Amino acid sequence: MTTGKAYVTSVFEKVKAQNAHEPEFLQAVGEVFESLVPVFDKYPKYIDENLLERLVEPERIVSFRVPWVDDQGHVQVNRGYRVQFSSAIGPYKGGLRFHPSVNQSIIKFLGFEQIFKNSLTGQPIGGGKGGSNFDPKGKSDNEIMRFCQSFMTELSKHIGADTDVPAGDIGVGGREIGYLYGQYKRLRNEYTGVLTGKGLTYGGSLARTEATGYGAVYFAEQMLKARGEDFAGKVAIVSGSGNVAIYATEKLQSLGAKVVAVSDSSGYVYDPEGIDVALLKQLKEVERARIVKYADARPSATFTPAGEGSIWSIKADLAFPCATQNEINEEDAKTLVANGVIAVTEGANMPSTLEAIEVFQKAGVSFGPAKAANAGGVAVSALEMAQNSQRTAWSFEEVDAKLYDIMKGIYENAAAAAKEFGAEGDLVVGANIAGFLKVAEAMSAQGIV
């Protein structure tokens, strides 16, 4: 009989051979596969059904060109993607990312992670992801509108409220969602909950803006409780200064922690008096300015340009990587541990390298993996879908309470799965297994499709 180890190894070798040019995807797959060995030993029927090889191959990948006209009248061309990875437990659900780094490997890694993240929420949503190598920075509103309309003209053929429901991600905020939704409605002549993260005037949900950042903090709260700790008096670092970072900072400070640093791609600011969230929101959400402007406006703050220092060198109790993938490497992790960090909570997607995670775990640092800790955004997206289907709207307090319960449930399920499969306290293993088991049973029940 084939062992779980032999099966997982053989499938991963095949995945590596078929996707050798996709390093981010292989990193995400390798991290999950390593956790699943005991699952296949316990449930050999999944080996017989070759379930893992079926799961790791997307159900569908759509790649398309996106032509648009800039303000000078020149035709520009970008590439668009939608990876529809798994619909075993519900319609495909996952964000759209507009960033120059976007390629098929990144979209596939994000879509693969989304399968397990969405499963963990307990909501009926499958895994998908999409985006474009378009860079919104420096573009006018009209240029972004023309790009979004061109992007949606093609994407609209492949999505729908009961098929695939995209949302925002890096480079796709409320402005972009509005333009995308307007074009979808125009093309399809239907008013439906096909996108989430919509504005409140046209079907959006209260607390959706705050959800990913708040959810990461709620997850961290559960990790701290398990250590007999809370946020009071703790010093935190939050990388990034976009949606996730802003609202993680806001919630942390409301619960008694002091966030002393945030960043963007140009560098980071250190403010020992605590980050002024109102100022940060004004600079980033209204003015769309670079983070150096924060230091210009706050005498207590200093700015360090990118390449001249690391935000992870700042002494802190808590770290929240909320910027982008692989932003914490092994050396960063060692620095954080040496400086006394007790908990790391991933607000971004896969922000820690595998080597960094190993450093944290060996040091006894509580580690909240992205697929669990940053699931708050997609959880509230699912709640937005529910409100759209019911033609109703819930209060901020109702949605926030549901979000808290979902994040608490994710922590408890991950912790229980880790314990059941011999890895007590390892939330990486626990999240992978808990997320996988629900999808695996659904796939098995639906036959070989």
Side-chain angles (χ1 to χ4, degrees), residues 111-315:
F112 185 70
E113 288 272 295
Q114 202 77 41
I115 299 170
F116 307 97
K117 183 191 304 183
N118 292 358
S119 173
L120 285 166
T121 68
Q123 306 297 303
I125 43 178
K129 204 76 179 185
S132 172
N133 60 356
F134 173 77
D135 188 357
K137 288 179 183 172
K139 304 293 193 303
S140 70
D141 286 352
N142 281 333
E143 286 175 322
I144 288 173
M145 180 178 69
R146 288 192 290 270
F147 172 82
C148 288
Q149 288 173 342
S150 181
F151 183 88
M152 181 53 78
T153 297
E154 178 61 33
L155 185 66
S156 65
K157 304 168 187 175
H158 309 285
I159 63 175
D162 297 312
T163 303
D164 185 351
V165 183
D169 192 79
I170 294 172
V172 180
R175 172 182 56 177
E176 290 77 15
I177 291 292
Y179 294 150
L180 290 164
Y181 188 75
Q183 183 71 353
Y184 181 89
K185 184 163 61 72
R186 181 184 185 192
L187 291 167
R188 299 288 288 264
N189 192 28
E190 60 183 25
Y191 204 101
T192 182
V194 71
L195 287 163
T196 55
K198 300 186 294 298
L200 295 176
T201 57
Y202 61 100
S205 173
L206 288 163
R208 175 59 189 91
T209 302
E210 296 84 354
T212 310
Y214 278 24
V217 175
Y218 294 153
F219 190 90
E221 184 176 35
Q222 299 303 313
M223 293 199 300
L224 289 177
K225 281 183 179 178
R227 301 175 68 101
E229 303 262 9
D230 59 27
F231 288 118
K234 298 289 191 300
V235 173
I237 309 165
V238 178
S239 70
S241 52
N243 174 270
V244 183
I246 289 171
Y247 290 99
T249 299
E250 179 176 89
K251 180 55 68 173
L252 280 165
Q253 299 199 153
S254 75
L255 294 175
K258 180 166 71 171
V259 178
V260 296
V262 291
S263 65
D264 65 15
S265 58
S266 67
Y268 71 88
V269 291
Y270 171 61
D271 187 346
E273 293 187 3
I275 294 297
D276 183 328
V277 176
L279 174 60
L280 185 63
K281 286 182 180 180
Q282 173 65 26
L283 292 173
K284 284 296 182 177
E285 295 183 335
V286 180
E287 299 178 22
R288 303 184 189 274
R290 307 307 283 156
I291 201 67
V292 66
K293 296 295 184 182
Y294 180 94
D296 292 342
R298 283 272 286 186
S300 58
T302 56
F303 172 73
T304 301
E308 296 185 16
S310 170
I311 192 173
W312 308 119
S313 65
I314 298 169
K315 184 174 176 59

Side-chain angles (χ1 to χ4, degrees), residues 1-147:
M1 186 176 72
T2 304
T3 65
K5 179 70 172 176
Y7 174 62
V8 168
T9 300
S10 69
V11 175
F12 191 45
E13 288 303 314
K14 188 170 182 179
V15 172
K16 286 193 290 185
Q18 292 178 333
N19 303 275
H21 58 297
E22 298 180 345
E24 295 86 359
F25 177 56
L26 292 177
Q27 179 183 341
V29 171
E31 186 263 321
V32 171
F33 273 25
E34 188 174 339
S35 305
L36 298 181
V37 169
V39 175
F40 291 102
D41 285 330
K42 185 172 182 178
Y43 300 108
K45 72 169 185 172
Y46 295 148
I47 298 177
D48 296 337
E49 295 171 354
N50 199 9
L51 196 141
L52 199 55
E53 190 170 343
R54 291 159 52 201
L55 182 63
V56 81
E57 190 66 31
E59 293 175 12
R60 193 173 297 104
I61 299 177
V62 181
S63 176
F64 51 95
R65 73 179 180 200
V66 188
W68 58 282
V69 180
D70 66 23
D71 287 344
Q72 286 69 48
H74 300 139
V75 177
Q76 305 291 339
V77 180
N78 288 96
R79 181 175 291 175
Y81 299 93
R82 188 66 180 172
V83 175
Q84 297 175 330
F85 229 114
S86 171
S87 59
I89 61 173
Y92 309 105
K93 187 82 192 78
L96 298 170
R97 175 175 294 192
F98 292 170
H99 191 272
S101 67
V102 165
N103 56 35
Q104 184 167 291
S105 175
I106 286 176
I107 296 300
K108 282 176 66 179
F109 117 65
L110 292 167
F112 185 70
E113 288 272 295
Q114 202 77 41
I115 299 170
F116 307 97
K117 183 191 304 183
N118 292 358
S119 173
L120 285 166
T121 68
Q123 306 297 303
I125 43 178
K129 204 76 179 185
S132 172
N133 60 356
F134 173 77
D135 188 357
K137 288 179 183 172
K139 304 293 193 303
S140 70
D141 286 352
N142 281 333
E143 286 175 322
I144 288 173
M145 180 178 69
R146 288 192 290 270
F147 172 82

